[in-house]
Amino acid sequence: MATILIHPDTQSAIRATAERLLQAVQGDHDAVLGLATGGTMEPVYHQLVRRADEARLSFAGVTTFNLDEYVGLAADHPQSYRSTMNRLLFDHVDIPRNQTYLPRGDAQDPSAEAIAYEAAIEAAGGIDLQLLGIGRNGHLGFNEPSSSLASRTRIKKLARSTLEANARFFGAGERMPTHAITMGIGTIMKARKLLMLAMGASKADAVAAALEGPVTAACPASILQFHPDVTVVLDQEAASCLKLRDFYEDIHPGGQEVYFAGNS
Ligand code: PGA
């Protein structure tokens, strides 16, 4: 079963997520991290940068692979996920830029770019810890409902609900891309550990479907039920539709990880 940590408030969920990323680097200075973008992750990176600075933690040996990038946006476009990651994280830690990977949204041949991206993940030895958000429609990365649960990095058309949710990041009159290069669900499932963060009432239905519903391509995040090492960090609102919420809170009161101590 997934480790489901329901935090008393949003700040605590953010801190716990950032702390796990920090610990992954502290535990392995050459860690390969899978990263995510989206509104959920912005405060996580703020917190991570702050904590890394306090701990004087070096990212010099770390390699990162982001989940996805918009097709058609050059790296220097302000709304590209490359720009976003530079602004939120890479500009603030000592990670060499050539160890930070995102698919190139303006690649001449986006399909070839997707295949090369998958190969680059393999060549780096695979992802140790993959950070994930969840879409209101249950998407993972840009794997929209109906995505193959075995899919690898490829081009996907964005669902209407995703376009609507992400339109806020684009200025009036600015054309939002309609396609993305995204790691596949099979790619994500190969990561050794998964760490999902969801916050707010708008995610409650998707979280419940993912954790307690059937495993189905109609809710791509439901595939997490098949991963052997997944932690889901939630705030109160995101947890509000979980049927077994009491049980999860009994196991991890206040969202704290409690280990079974055999003789206590
Ligand atoms: P959000 O996106 O953090 O902006 O809600 C998450 C996602 O769509 O995976």
Side-chain angles (χ1 to χ4, degrees), residues 37-41 133-135 139 141 166 168-169 203:
T37 48
T40 307
M41 298 307 162
I134 182 171
H139 75 196
N166 287 6
R168 69 188 194 279
F169 295 112
K203 301 295 174 69

Side-chain angles (χ1 to χ4, degrees), residues 34-38 41-42 45 65-68 81 85 88 130-133 141:
L35 299 178
T37 48
M41 298 307 162
E42 293 195 13
Y45 294 131
F65 288 91
N66 265 77
L67 284 169
D68 43 25
Y81 285 161
M85 288 306 302
L88 292 174
Q130 176 68 55
L131 180 64
L132 296 167

Side-chain angles (χ1 to χ4, degrees), residues 8-29:
D9 57 66
T10 301
Q11 280 313 315
S12 154
I14 292 165
R15 275 199 305 274
T17 304
E19 209 55 42
R20 277 165 184 272
L21 291 168
L22 192 86
Q23 283 165 6
V25 178
Q26 279 171 330
D28 176 3
H29 292 287

Side-chain angles (χ1 to χ4, degrees), residues 156-172:
K156 286 296 289 179
K157 184 170 169 57
L158 307 185
R160 201 170 299 169
S161 64
T162 302
L163 292 170
E164 283 164 12
N166 287 6
R168 69 188 194 279
F169 295 112
F170 290 82

Side-chain angles (χ1 to χ4, degrees), residues 19-123:
E19 209 55 42
R20 277 165 184 272
L21 291 168
L22 192 86
Q23 283 165 6
V25 178
Q26 279 171 330
D28 176 3
H29 292 287
D30 299 324
V32 179
L33 299 181
L35 299 178
T37 48
T40 307
M41 298 307 162
E42 293 195 13
V44 172
Y45 294 131
H46 290 315
Q47 180 73 15
L48 178 60
V49 166
R50 208 169 61 77
R51 290 285 294 113
D53 190 47
E54 281 168 8
R56 297 186 192 287
L57 182 63
S58 174
F59 280 62
V62 172
T63 301
T64 66
F65 288 91
N66 265 77
L67 284 169
D68 43 25
E69 178 62 281
Y70 291 117
V71 170
L73 296 196
D76 61 358
H77 188 289
Q79 297 312 328
S80 73
Y81 285 161
R82 159 57 74 186
S83 290
T84 304
M85 288 306 302
N86 288 351
R87 182 166 42 80
L88 292 174
L89 181 62
F90 303 147
D91 287 348
H92 308 288
V93 292
D94 62 343
I95 190 166
R97 205 47 65 89
N98 64 0
Q99 289 166 213
T100 66
Y101 291 83
L102 287 95
R104 284 176 305 130
D106 62 346
Q108 283 239 316
D109 181 346
S111 297
E113 174 70 9
I115 291 166
Y117 197 69
E118 187 81 26
I121 296 171
E122 293 279 330

